[in-house]
Amino acid sequence: MPTHAFADFAVTPLLHENIVKKGFTTPSPIQDQSIPEGLKGHDIIGIANTGTGKTVAFAVPVLDKLIANPASSALIMAPTRELALQIQEECKMLARGSGLYGAVLIGGAPMGPQLKDLSVKPSIVIGTPGRIKDHMERGSLKLDKFDIVVLDEVDRMLDMGFVNDMRTILAELAPVRQSFFFSATM
């Protein structure tokens, strides 16, 4: 049973307003346990079945930090372009009106729009490991200032053979950072 309501979470007023607009009242167990710890700046390893609200569990603390601290940047990695796009939609809804700007870096999509999105120094980058690494190698994505990282569906990324790409990417992030690793299995 959840011990919190969404109204209990100490988030920026805009984020709270968007949560209310979405109709969220009672968090799922993964949200109930992860959001308060994430808001405190703790690293999170979250394990929960697909469909239990893991995206909101990491998006709320990540977006709260980005809204409150414009110097912060977040990288969110997902194993598939479909999941990356779902994460983008959820984040857009939660951050509506915040002025945060994001980029989605996924294979199978043209590079031109991605390069344009990266040129304005987005606060949040969501993508698949292969395309993120492609942008790093081109010099269009520098990760040394990214102080928040989310690995969503870590188990699937490892199963799909992304371990070396993930290591390369993580090695380039800011050395002091907050990490969220979410998975259905561990």
Side-chain angles (χ1 to χ4, degrees):
M1 292 296 295
T3 58
H4 301 95
F6 273 99
D8 297 335
F9 300 134
V11 296
T12 60
L14 177 74
L15 189 54
H16 176 72
E17 181 181 314
N18 288 337
I19 289 168
V20 169
K21 283 180 188 172
K22 183 72 174 170
F24 293 151
T25 54
T26 304
S28 70
I30 189 70
Q31 295 164 346
D32 188 56
Q33 295 173 45
S34 299
I35 292 172
E37 296 304 314
L39 290 171
K40 292 177 190 171
H42 297 161
D43 293 337
I44 306 287
I45 297 176
I47 302 171
N49 290 332
T50 301
T52 56
K54 290 189 295 284
T55 301
V56 170
F58 65 73
V60 168
V62 167
L63 294 171
D64 184 69
K65 183 172 181 179
L66 294 176
I67 291 167
N69 182 4
S72 283
S73 300
L75 176 70
I76 301 175
M77 272 194 287
T80 65
R81 63 179 163 247
E82 294 81 13
L83 182 56
L85 292 170
Q86 287 175 344
I87 293 167
Q88 176 202 27
E89 285 306 309
E90 196 76 39
C91 288
K92 278 174 71 172
M93 182 279 308
L94 288 169
R96 183 165 284 128
S98 67
L100 292 178
Y101 188 73
V104 177
L105 310 179
I106 54 175
M111 286 291 248
Q114 293 178 15
L115 291 167
K116 182 180 177 222
D117 289 345
L118 289 172
S119 72
V120 297
K121 306 292 184 229
S123 301
I124 186 167
V125 172
I126 303 166
T128 53
R131 185 53 65 101
I132 290 169
K133 191 171 171 213
D134 286 347
H135 279 284
M136 290 170 56
E137 290 170 352
R138 295 178 158 250
S140 54
L141 177 62
K142 302 243 185 286
L143 296 174
D144 59 323
K145 302 279 190 268
F146 282 73
D147 59 352
I148 305 168
V149 64
V150 177
L151 302 184
D152 194 14
E153 300 296 348
V154 177
D155 54 341
R156 287 186 56 207
M157 282 193 279
L158 294 173
D159 289 344
M160 293 169 75
F162 288 126
V163 67
N164 290 330
D165 288 348
M166 290 166 49
R167 283 185 178 142
T168 299
I169 293 164
L170 291 172
E172 295 299 315
L173 295 167
V176 177
R177 63 181 176 257
Q178 184 177 14
S179 301
F180 296 82
F181 297 164
F182 280 80
S183 182
T185 61
M186 188 60 72

